Amino acid sequence: MPRTLSIVQIGRGQVGSRLVAQVDAARAAVIEEWGVDLRQAMVAGRDDGPDPGAILERAARTTPPPRLFVDATAAEGMAPVHRQALLAGFHVVTCNKKPLAGPLADYDAIQSAARTAGRFYLFEVTVGAGLPVIATLRDLRDTGDRVATIEGCFSGTLNFLCTALDADQPFSEALRAARDRGFTEPDPRDDLDGQDVARKAIILARAAGLPVEAADVRREPFVPVDRGEEREGFLRRAGDHDFALRERVRAAASRGLRLRYVARVAPGEGCRAGLTEVPDDSPLGRLAGPENVFVFTTGRYHHHPLVVSGPGAGPEVTAAGAFADLMTVVRAVARGGNGAPEA
Ligand SMILES: NC(=O)c1ccc[n+]([C@@H]2O[C@H](COP(=O)([O-])OP(=O)(O)OC[C@H]3O[C@@H](n4cnc5c(N)ncnc54)[C@H](OP(=O)(O)O)[C@@H]3O)[C@@H](O)[C@H]2O)c1
């Protein structure tokens, strides 16, 4: 008899719906290989109720352990819900960066709930989508390496825009293409004001053991963003930025340089993110489309840094990254008990 792992998921948008389909397609193979039956007990959207905490409470009453909570929303205010899930005995996989990048006290409370409850709290796809970025950082730290800097292009969306601008495409057209392909955040202003990159820098910094707050990140927006207006109004006026960005890209190109949105995390220096001119034949200048690159310079990887790169956005690869986190829980459940992480 296979063991059943009950999955309670909130969010069934681009990533959430792909995750449901991927889990469904792999279900028989996971039973065969691991003896664990992935049962999608609940896949909730906003129309199931406005309060994710209430949805979770309902799920906690109706699903037996071992159980897993998946946050595939971009909702605000989810930190207490993640904590509540862990304390109710759920493992947690999150695609949502916000609970990890808010006040440090919320982050610490989540990590402490995971330790107290003995449950996994997994967040690989919050940085670099399906790329093994958090896993790489964890392995470096677990093996006693010292991280000196993490630098690179952390946003597939902004890199997609940068390479479209290199090809002389107007910014407004490139932004529309990025939205059509599912690369942007639900509100693209989260990408354009640099907030999404800043959140990733905070998550990386915290995972590297640095106690940073949002105020410690210096960020320059990709374009000026007005939060006071409606999202659709902002998108209609995206063409207002076409000329200035085209001039900036052309001026850089005349000097053999390209514009890239570069972020840097360094102990002692804090975090920063902004449009930066880089040589067109450098690793950052050569990045194309929705690619990300993360360059880890450490005590061991000093002369030749450790580089993780590849597509850093897109619902299919993001869902696959969340599925890989889910498989970490499956392997632990297969070993017995409630799937608690090994001490
Ligand atoms: N797309 C990517 O390439 C990518 C890459 C890395 C990480 N992520 C992260 O993955 C998450 C999901 O992204 P997405 O592209 O799938 O966004 P999306 O298509 O907008 O989906 C978000 C889903 O969450 C639901 N939702 C929002 N607030 C909710 C609430 N309070 N209760 C229940 N459901 C709620 C939405 O419901 P409604 O449809 O009713 O609004 C929607 O179904 C985000 O946190 C994003 O940052 C995405």
Side-chain angles (χ1 to χ4, degrees), residues 103-117:
L104 182 61
D106 285 353
Y107 179 89
D108 287 342
I110 289 173
Q111 301 298 337
S112 138
R115 275 192 303 275
T116 306

Side-chain angles (χ1 to χ4, degrees), residues 29-172:
V30 173
I31 293 177
E32 166 105 8
E33 173 91 7
W34 297 100
V36 176
D37 186 6
L38 299 174
R39 194 171 79 84
Q40 293 174 338
M42 186 187 285
V43 183
R46 235 191 283 253
D47 47 4
D48 291 284
D51 176 6
I55 293 175
L56 176 68
E57 245 172 58
R58 206 163 61 234
R61 281 197 300 274
T62 51
T63 50
R67 51 197 183 186
L68 168 75
F69 175 73
V70 178
D71 180 354
T73 74
E76 306 276 350
M78 290 296 279
V81 180
H82 289 195
R83 193 169 161 272
Q84 177 193 348
L86 290 161
L87 294 176
F90 288 83
H91 300 284
V92 174
V93 170
T94 181
C95 308
N96 186 355
K97 298 169 216 49
K98 291 172 184 166
L100 287 146
L104 182 61
D106 285 353
Y107 179 89
D108 287 342
I110 289 173
Q111 301 298 337
S112 138
R115 275 192 303 275
T116 306
R119 295 294 180 273
F120 285 105
Y121 185 75
L122 302 166
F123 52 94
E124 181 62 80
V125 305
T126 59
V127 183
L131 300 176
V133 178
I134 301 295
T136 299
L137 179 53
R138 196 195 50 226
D139 287 349
L140 290 169
R141 294 194 72 208
D142 284 353
T143 58
D145 206 347
R146 183 187 53 80
V147 176
T149 60
I150 309 168
E151 196 169 28
C153 294
F154 299 177
S155 166
T157 315
L158 296 187
N159 207 61
F160 178 87
L161 295 178
C162 285
T163 47
L165 294 174
D166 289 344
D168 227 22
Q169 203 178 359
F171 164 73
S172 50

